[in-house]
Amino acid sequence: MLKPKPVELKKAIIIGSGIAGLSASIRLAKAGYAVEIFERSSVAGGKLGEKQLGSYRFDTGPSLFTMPHYVEELFDLCGVPMQDYFSYEKVNESCRYFWDDGKEISADADRVSFAAACEKEFGVPSTHILKYLDQSQQSFELTRSVFLEQSLHRVKNYFRKSVLRGVLHLPQLHLFSSMHRVNEKKIKEPHLVQLFDRFATYNGSDPYRAPGVLTMIPHLEHNVGTFFPKGGMISIPRALVQLAIRCGVKFHLDTEVDRIRVEKGIARGVESGATFFPADVVISNMDVIPTYRRLLAQEPAPEKTLAQERSSSALIFYWGIGREFPQLGLHNIFFANDYRREFELLFQEKSVSEDPTVYVHISSKYNPHDAPAGKEAWFVLVNVPGNKGQNWDELIPVIRKNCLKKLSARLGVDIASLIEEEDVLDPRSIESRTSSFQGSLYGAASNNRNAAFLRHPNFSRRIPNLYFCGGSVHPGGGIPLCLLSGKITADLIHQDHLQ
């Protein structure tokens, strides 16, 4: 826990109000810092937004909520009852999976029931699935202190007992095998290998190249569980904004930062229009690439770090569907038949398969107000490459047609005829709205065993008083990791300015 700030430290400015920026702001404000957030949008929350299409409401960004204790931690830190601002429930199943050969499975929230379903549907002994999930948990526990909960870029952190324990067990974390190879060896059955391979997409990576250590991700979903916030995903940033305001954080909405001012090699504040806002520390919650290219254009950039392969982006269709589908749940995956080829196209050819894996999130299953009675709000996502100049105006109709073809065939109904409202979000609009370089959702991809160490640190090695948080820096993207990123950054600021 952060201690009260030294008297000489007066102000922290955060650029961007994504989930990591909100996390950092609350922690710093609680520690006694005067915190101001500059957000170019009219609302805070970053990628966590919402839209209304007729009678349908949609969350526009992340749709999966895990590890809610990281949100609870912020309210506990401030001594504020979370129920006054935010509540959630555990989902009774993590996902429903569908294959074109007719196979399907509901991943029950109870891991024993899930393992039993795997045995019944695919003939894999439930004991094998439970052993896999136990090993996933063990990997998570061994790596959380090394890769997730502190800076990887401060040498002194490696001398902590918990970190040394993790380092000593690195050989069993499958850093030198791909995620797919580990799953193939441990699970064997092709449908279930594909099911567990898909967790690489949780950080926008390729399971055929990403390290086997990512097999720790299923632990979060199958051992811990998935959750749904009351009011939808948008309620997460709304609650944190209210908590931040209660802690004294000041928000400058509709205010774009044009430059981080560096004087005599030290970050001194930010410029917005003709106004200079001085600060003792500056934290960028923007993607690191536009931070360097636009806000630090006169400063040398860490080119090797910025040149890392980017994560995947997404093409999202928001569909108001004019009937209900009881065979679908909150989260649904319709798998491609050739998964390897899908990822080759995605990362190597920067294109999209004609038979894509389709994710369908139906928030109205848990939040009935999102759709009229008897109807459903569908958030339909396909993983696509980042924006590198592809002709999206030609690609989007083709991808839409292929999605509809897949969903219609598997569900036995013409989905296109049921669409009452529609909108789309593509990599270009993700990039323009959120300043995510190329529209990548998670910053750098994790397609090699050194990716975690190569990711940009939460501080500048060259410019004192300049810090970073968010999905493009350590420890990565997604709601839980962004909450941790804000925590790591706040802790570093406190450590650096303690004396």
Side-chain angles (χ1 to χ4, degrees):
M1 183 182 296
L2 296 179
K3 298 177 182 179
K5 72 175 183 67
V7 173
E8 65 271 13
L9 191 63
K10 296 179 180 179
K11 183 187 289 187
I13 284 179
I14 300 175
I15 305 165
S17 65
I19 208 76
L22 294 173
S23 170
S25 76
I26 292 165
R27 292 179 179 280
L28 289 171
K30 181 59 181 175
Y33 295 88
V35 183
E36 298 187 19
I37 293 180
F38 287 73
E39 169 58 56
R40 71 172 184 171
S41 175
S42 60
V43 293
K47 293 185 178 73
L48 281 163
E50 71 171 349
K51 71 166 64 242
Q52 190 78 32
L53 297 176
S55 300
Y56 297 88
R57 190 204 72 89
F58 301 87
D59 290 304
T60 57
S63 58
L64 180 67
F65 185 38
T66 60
M67 305 179 81
H69 63 278
Y70 288 136
V71 175
E72 294 180 14
E73 193 176 86
L74 292 170
F75 284 91
D76 290 342
L77 175 69
C78 299
V80 175
M82 187 179 73
Q83 61 269 23
D84 292 351
Y85 295 90
F86 180 70
S87 62
Y88 63 87
E89 61 182 304
K90 188 170 184 178
V91 176
N92 58 20
E93 64 179 4
S94 63
C95 193
R96 296 187 188 182
Y97 298 94
F98 301 85
W99 288 266
D100 284 354
D101 63 5
K103 291 285 188 181
E104 63 182 74
I105 189 171
S106 171
D108 194 280
D110 177 75
R111 65 185 227 134
V112 175
S113 297
F114 169 59
C118 290
E119 181 171 340
K120 180 180 179 181
E121 186 69 20
F122 301 108
V124 177
S126 61
T127 52
H128 288 191
I129 301 299
L130 292 173
K131 182 179 179 181
Y132 177 92
L133 294 178
D134 286 341
Q135 292 172 338
S136 178
Q137 179 177 2
Q138 182 182 37
S139 295
F140 177 79
E141 296 298 340
L142 286 172
T143 56
R144 62 189 303 176
S145 61
V146 182
F147 295 106
L148 302 180
E149 296 180 343
Q150 63 180 1
S151 174
L152 282 175
H153 306 91
R154 293 283 172 90
V155 174
K156 64 180 181 180
N157 288 338
Y158 289 90
F159 294 97
R160 297 181 181 181
K161 185 180 295 186
S162 59
V163 175
L164 289 173
R165 178 172 173 265
V167 171
L168 290 173
H169 287 84
L170 283 179
Q172 70 189 65
L173 296 178
H174 311 295
L175 286 173
F176 297 94
S177 295
S178 71
M179 187 182 192
H180 174 74
R181 185 170 297 176
V182 172
N183 287 334
E184 199 172 41
K185 180 179 179 180
K186 292 186 175 183
I187 302 294
K188 296 184 174 62
E189 201 286 323
H191 296 84
L192 291 179
V193 170
Q194 189 174 28
L195 187 157
F196 286 110
D197 276 357
R198 73 109 179 174
F199 286 98
T201 65
Y202 278 33
N203 63 9
S205 301
D206 175 357
Y208 299 92
R209 296 164 59 211
V213 69
L214 294 188
T215 55
M216 69 177 178
I217 299 175
H219 161 67
L220 304 178
E221 192 161 307
H222 292 287
N223 291 328
V224 179
T226 62
F227 304 84
F228 188 78
K230 183 177 180 180
M233 300 296 286
I234 190 65
S235 66
I236 302 173
R238 282 179 177 164
L240 295 183
V241 167
Q242 291 303 309
L243 181 61
I245 292 172
R246 182 165 174 169
C247 292
V249 176
K250 181 179 180 181
F251 285 82
H252 300 267
L253 301 179
D254 292 310
T255 306
E256 185 164 8
V257 170
D258 300 308
R259 180 187 173 206
I260 297 172
R261 183 181 291 188
V262 178
E263 297 176 351
K264 296 182 179 180
I266 299 174
R268 297 296 187 186
V270 303
E271 297 176 8
S272 177
T275 306
F276 170 61
F277 297 87
D280 297 279
V281 294
V282 176
I283 305 108
S284 177
N285 185 208
M286 283 177 61
D287 188 309
V288 289
I289 293 182
T291 297
Y292 280 103
R293 301 302 188 219
R294 285 163 33 195
L295 306 188
L296 292 164
Q298 307 305 314
E299 303 295 326
E303 297 299 342
K304 185 175 181 181
T305 298
L306 301 188
Q308 291 179 83
E309 180 182 22
R310 300 291 287 183
S311 79
S312 59
S313 184
L315 180 63
I316 303 171
F317 299 101
Y318 306 99
W319 290 339
I321 299 293
R323 58 159 279 193
E324 291 180 312
F325 285 80
Q327 67 268 49
L328 299 181
L330 178 66
H331 303 287
N332 309 272
I333 294 283
F334 296 79
F335 277 117
N337 289 302
D338 191 341
Y339 214 36
R340 185 184 292 272
R341 180 57 181 157
E342 182 175 20
F343 283 97
E344 286 176 353
L345 286 164
L346 184 61
F347 283 100
Q348 297 172 36
E349 300 180 31
K350 308 301 180 185
S351 188
V352 183
S353 170
E354 294 182 359
D355 174 36
T357 295
V358 182
Y359 165 70
V360 181
H361 169 65
I362 309 176
S363 62
S364 51
K365 296 285 187 181
Y366 274 75
N367 196 35
H369 298 296
D370 286 355
K375 302 180 181 183
E376 295 180 339
W378 285 21
F379 169 109
V380 181
L381 180 149
V382 175
N383 291 313
V384 299
N387 179 31
K388 301 196 76 172
Q390 300 94 326
N391 190 333
W392 293 105
D393 291 333
E394 288 187 1
L395 279 173
I396 290 170
V398 173
I399 298 169
R400 181 184 186 274
K401 178 182 177 182
N402 290 333
C403 285
L404 288 167
K405 178 181 177 182
K406 190 174 196 71
L407 294 172
S408 298
R410 194 65 184 82
L411 296 173
V413 63
D414 178 22
I415 301 298
S417 66
L418 299 173
I419 299 174
E420 298 183 341
E421 300 285 351
E422 180 172 14
D423 202 357
V424 64
L425 184 69
D426 65 61
R428 296 169 301 182
S429 44
I430 293 172
E431 183 172 24
S432 63
R433 293 178 190 178
T434 68
S435 296
S436 299
F437 182 66
Q438 296 179 356
S440 65
L441 299 182
Y442 306 94
S446 297
N447 288 335
N448 68 72
R449 63 177 179 269
N450 296 317
F453 300 95
L454 296 174
R455 188 175 283 272
H456 195 287
N458 301 83
F459 60 93
S460 171
R461 288 192 172 99
R462 198 184 62 80
I463 304 174
N465 298 345
L466 177 60
Y467 298 84
F468 301 84
C469 65
S472 69
V473 302
H474 178 69
I479 294 172
L481 296 191
C482 283
L483 289 167
L484 281 174
S485 182
K487 181 178 187 295
I488 291 168
T489 302
D491 285 344
L492 287 170
I493 290 170
H494 178 65
Q495 293 166 18
D496 292 347
H497 295 271
L498 184 61
Q499 299 178 354

